[in-house]
């Protein structure tokens, strides 16, 4: 995407992306036009194409990046300080609340259906989101190890990958059924696994 080298340019581009995200959340990807976005953001057609010369798909990718960033931001501050069982419990509740509030409408998923998941830009956004999320979970598990709350023999990277896979599976089922039972089960089972590895080391 073209650079916005000045502070004003960066602010304008950010305003367009934020405004587009609002419209897309309200109207859905299929029913949103560039005219809708221009009206919401107060930008001209030439200004819009200055920052997004490839048009709507390029803008959708920018919004997808914003929505991907929000997935992690919505889990803070808990995701960044998973060093106790209480912090993991709070994080678990935040994740469940986020997806229950979202319901069966996933802005990120809708965007990727529009631009195509196989496109390099879309794939890169998803890959980076999952990498950062898994890294944060692994960092939290290492913090538990450092505090003597889980076994030092725990395969942190594998456990973090399994927990993330469980979350994504639970979210996918919830998107189809409207029921968060599977998401809660995936989270609870993952945390129970962590506790079980500690044996007598665990201090609730």
């Amino acid at each position: 995407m073209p650079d916005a080298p000045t502070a004003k340019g960066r602010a304008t581009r950010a305003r367009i992306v934020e405004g587009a995200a609002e419209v897309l959340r309200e109207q859905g990807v299929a029913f949103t036009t560039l005219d809708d976005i221009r009206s919401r953001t107060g930008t001209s057609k030439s200004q819009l194409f200055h920052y997004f010369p490839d048009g709507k798909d390029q803008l959708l990718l920018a919004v997808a990046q914003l929505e991907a960033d929000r997935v992690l931001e919505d889990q803070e501050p808990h995701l960044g300080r998973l060093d106790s069982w209480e912090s993991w419990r709070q994080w678990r509740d935040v994740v469940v609340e986020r997806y229950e509030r979202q319901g069966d409408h996933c802005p990120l998923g809708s965007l990727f259906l529009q631009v195509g998941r196989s496109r390099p830009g879309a794939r890169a956004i998803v890959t980076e989101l999952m990498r950062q999320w898994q890294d944060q979970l692994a960092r939290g598990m290492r913090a538990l190890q450092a505090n003597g709350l889980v076994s030092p023999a725990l395969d942190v990277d594998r456990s973090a990958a399994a927990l993330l896979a469980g979350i994504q599976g639970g979210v996918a089922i919830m998107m189809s059924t409207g029921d968060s039972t599977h998401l809660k089960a995936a989270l609870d089972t993952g945390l129970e696994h962590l506790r079980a590895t500690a044996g007598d080391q665990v201090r609730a």
Side-chain angles (χ1 to χ4, degrees):
M1 292 184 183
D3 294 330
T6 67
K8 183 178 180 181
R10 290 190 295 273
T12 299
R13 185 181 185 281
R15 176 168 54 81
I16 294 171
V17 175
E18 286 278 1
E22 292 174 2
V23 177
L24 290 164
R25 278 180 172 269
E26 293 169 6
Q27 299 181 189
V29 176
F31 300 101
T32 298
T33 67
L34 288 180
D35 285 340
D36 293 329
I37 294 169
R38 289 198 302 106
S39 177
R40 175 65 61 91
T41 58
T43 53
S44 65
K45 187 173 183 180
S46 60
Q47 196 173 28
L48 191 66
F49 279 91
H50 171 73
Y51 293 103
F52 304 97
D54 291 338
K56 186 177 180 180
D57 280 358
Q58 189 176 16
L59 177 55
L60 290 180
L61 279 177
V63 176
Q65 182 64 68
L66 179 68
E67 294 289 0
D69 292 341
R70 283 176 174 165
V71 170
L72 299 181
E73 289 169 3
D74 286 351
Q75 298 175 52
E76 296 296 352
H78 310 293
L79 184 61
R81 58 184 189 200
L82 296 174
D83 56 359
S84 68
W85 291 123
E86 177 61 19
S87 61
W88 277 88
R89 184 194 65 76
Q90 291 175 346
W91 166 79
R92 176 265 188 209
D93 291 346
V94 164
V95 171
V96 171
E97 181 184 359
R98 180 192 195 278
Y99 285 105
E100 286 183 336
R101 185 173 64 248
Q102 178 177 282
D104 60 2
H105 173 61
C106 176
L108 192 58
S110 298
L111 287 161
F112 288 140
L113 286 175
Q114 175 71 24
V115 300
R117 293 177 185 273
S118 62
R119 287 186 57 177
R123 184 174 293 273
I125 290 171
V126 174
T127 299
E128 181 61 15
L129 168 61
M130 294 304 157
R131 184 195 67 77
Q132 290 186 31
W133 198 347
Q134 184 174 326
D135 284 351
Q136 289 277 49
L137 295 175
R139 187 175 298 114
M141 292 178 192
R142 291 190 180 94
L144 292 180
Q145 285 180 322
N147 291 334
L149 297 174
V150 299
S151 170
L154 176 72
D155 187 333
V156 167
D157 293 324
R158 184 178 177 85
S159 296
L163 181 56
L164 181 55
I167 293 170
Q168 291 303 300
V171 170
I173 294 174
M174 185 177 171
M175 293 296 101
S176 300
T177 66
D179 187 350
S180 62
T181 299
H182 297 83
L183 174 60
K184 292 175 181 176
L187 284 161
D188 292 341
T189 301
L191 297 188
E192 288 165 8
H193 166 71
L194 293 180
R195 282 181 176 269
T197 66
D200 294 335
Q201 297 182 75
V202 173
R203 298 188 298 273

